[in-house]
């Protein structure tokens, strides 16, 4: 073949390559989830957000070849979708290596569990993330200073500009896993695991109101009465006038049993609903006792469908975090008792089954 022919062949084949990634019509929990380019989705400890007619998936970008004991996060990556099934890579919306980035972010040992809300009053998207200090001189993760980092953007796909950090939770050492819950009146709350400090050994879940612009705590944190001590990975949602909390136990990256609570008021008192998981994940043979191998990260109220929620989990893979996975399952209510049943394949039509 001469050069002209090779060029012609390349031009003809190029469009085929671009459309190679198959269009999905369902979700396959626990299986590799590819973006519309056919590349593994890399957005962990994630959340989703609906804005306009699109959905946004934000998660921590894990660096290939590094373990969770290393400085293995590059920042926050975003994907965009119109159907919650097919996700297009929208790039890094907060990057540790961005030009002019604050050293608080650039040198962070942990930048994890990003959550994004939209604040109509300011027209800003506000992103929160677990932000821990630089690695110790011995090369260990520094978990002593557990901050919440805050960044804002005027567009959902960023870029997000770093605004600073706060030690939430009312502890001198800060807070661990957290949820950001925006109530019906638009007020946002930071719900977090309070770290032990000099005076206290326990790890209660605490709730604090954020300022109207969402950038910092605006008052005292209160313990969420009735929530089991050391409940991690919290995800909150409201249903039929009640507040529900999904969370995990505390066993590091290893899976444990999910737990759920309900209350009439955001701060409690909460009542235990036990473990909402049912069934088994056939890919790893794990059931409710290990949350199908996952750990909660978010509960997404499906827009336009009252009372329908998607429970979202990470499958942690501390030795090879870039291959950590995702579990999305419908969260179903019957007589107000929530249940998260394993399904190997499903789509939004399950919410019309009843
Ligand atoms: C988990 C937490 C993860 C990670 C891990 C570290 O409980 O949910 O985000 O921080 O501990 O051991």
């Amino acid at each position: 073949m001469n050069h002209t022919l090779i060029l012609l062949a390349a031009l003809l084949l190029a469009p085929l390559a671009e459309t190679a990634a198959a269009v999905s019509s369902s979700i396959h929990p626990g299986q590799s989830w590819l973006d519309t380019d056919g590349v593994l989705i890399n957005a962990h400890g994630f959340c989703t957000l609906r804005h306009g007619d699109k959905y946004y998936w934000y998660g921590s970008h894990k660096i290939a070849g590094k373990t969770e004991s290393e400085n293995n996060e590059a920042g926050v990556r975003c994907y965009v979708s119109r159907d919650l099934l097919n996700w297009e890579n929208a790039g890094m919306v907060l990057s540790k290596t961005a030009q002019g980035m604050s050293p608080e972010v650039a040198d962070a040992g942990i930048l994890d569990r990003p959550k994004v809300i939209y604040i109509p009053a300011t027209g800003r998207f506000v992103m929160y993330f677990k932000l821990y200090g630089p690695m110790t001189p011995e090369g260990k993760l520094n978990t002593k200073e557990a901050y919440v980092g805050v960044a804002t953007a005027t567009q959902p796909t960023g870029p997000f500009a770093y605004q600073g950090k706060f030690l939430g939770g009312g502890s001198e050492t800060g807070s661990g896993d957290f949820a950001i819950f925006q109530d019906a009146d638009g007020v946002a709350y930071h719900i977090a695991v309070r770290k032990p400090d000099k005076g206290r050994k326990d790890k209660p879940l605490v709730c604090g109101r954020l300022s109207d612009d969402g950038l910092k705590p605006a008052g005292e944190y209160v313990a969420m009465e009735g929530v089991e001590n050391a409940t991690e990975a919290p995800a909150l949602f409201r249903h039929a006038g009640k507040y529900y909390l999904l969370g995990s136990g505390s066993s590091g990256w290893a899976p444990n049993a999910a737990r759920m609570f309900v209350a009439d008021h955001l701060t409690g008192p909460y009542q235990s609903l036990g473990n909402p998981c049912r069934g088994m994940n056939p890919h790893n043979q794990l059931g409710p006792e290990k949350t199908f191998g996952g750990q909660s990260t978010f509960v997404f109220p499906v827009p336009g469908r009252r009372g329908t929620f998607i429970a979202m989990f990470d499958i942690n893979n501390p030795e090879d975090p870039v291959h950590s996975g995702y579990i999305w399952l419908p969260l179903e209510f019957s007589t107000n008792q929530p249940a998260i049943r394993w399904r190997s394949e499903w789509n939004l039509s399950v919410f019309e089954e009843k």
Side-chain angles (χ1 to χ4, degrees), residues 110 112-113 130 132 177 232-233 248-253 295-296 316:
I110 295 179
D112 200 8
R113 292 189 166 272
K130 270 171 96 166
Y132 287 29
D177 287 0
E232 296 194 336
S248 74
S250 176
S251 52
W253 295 107
Q295 185 183 27
S296 46
N316 300 322

Side-chain angles (χ1 to χ4, degrees), residues 178-351:
F178 69 93
I180 299 292
F181 178 74
Q182 214 171 4
D183 214 339
D185 57 6
V187 175
Y189 297 84
H190 174 227
I191 287 122
V193 186
R194 188 177 73 203
K195 292 261 181 194
D197 62 14
K198 277 186 217 120
R200 292 175 296 215
K201 294 268 170 289
D202 59 342
K203 284 169 52 178
L205 205 65
V206 295
C207 175
R209 189 190 161 125
L210 295 175
S211 54
D212 290 346
D213 59 10
L215 301 186
K216 52 185 182 303
E220 296 291 302
Y221 280 78
V222 295
M224 296 165 79
E225 203 190 307
V227 176
E228 212 173 315
N229 186 54
T231 292
E232 296 194 336
L236 273 106
F237 62 99
R238 224 178 113 124
H239 172 62
K242 293 194 186 289
Y243 296 85
Y244 290 85
L245 164 70
L246 172 67
S248 74
S250 176
S251 52
W253 295 107
N256 54 52
R259 46 182 79 163
M260 203 155 201
F261 303 88
V262 64
D264 290 329
H265 305 281
L266 180 59
T267 52
Y270 279 83
Q271 234 188 328
S272 173
L273 293 172
N275 185 342
C277 298
R278 312 272 184 270
M280 193 193 68
N281 175 355
H283 309 298
N284 57 15
Q285 313 286 313
L286 296 176
E289 74 295 344
K290 299 282 183 206
T291 314
F292 315 119
Q295 185 183 27
S296 46
T297 185
F298 198 63
V299 172
F300 183 59
V302 181
R305 298 185 193 226
R306 263 177 98 95
T308 60
F309 301 88
I310 303 176
M312 300 175 168
F313 306 85
D314 290 291
I315 300 180
N316 300 322
N317 189 345
E319 292 311 312
D320 184 16
V322 79
H323 289 111
S324 302
Y326 313 100
I327 296 174
W328 290 23
L329 289 168
L331 197 151
E332 302 161 61
F333 279 92
S334 62
T335 61
N336 283 345
Q337 278 293 107
I340 303 170
R341 264 175 253 284
W342 179 265
R343 292 174 187 251
S344 289
E345 181 176 1
W346 66 281
N347 62 28
L348 297 185
S349 66
V350 301
F351 295 120

Side-chain angles (χ1 to χ4, degrees), residues 132 143-148 166-177 190 192-197 200 204 206:
Y132 287 29
T143 53
K144 282 202 196 102
E145 300 169 312
Y147 290 93
V148 179
F166 61 85
L167 267 184
S171 160
E172 293 151 24
T173 51
S175 54
D177 287 0
H190 174 227
V193 186
R194 188 177 73 203
K195 292 261 181 194
D197 62 14
R200 292 175 296 215
V206 295

Side-chain angles (χ1 to χ4, degrees), residues 36-75:
T36 52
D37 292 328
V39 177
L40 210 52
I41 292 181
N42 190 343
H44 307 274
F46 60 101
C47 70
T48 53
L49 173 79
R50 158 81 176 250
H51 191 76
D53 58 356
K54 290 185 188 148
Y55 301 98
Y56 300 86
W57 173 342
Y58 302 92
S60 189
H61 175 106
K62 308 271 180 180
I63 300 169
K66 291 201 177 192
T67 72
E68 293 284 10
S69 317
E70 296 169 278
N71 192 340
N72 73 327
E73 287 135 356

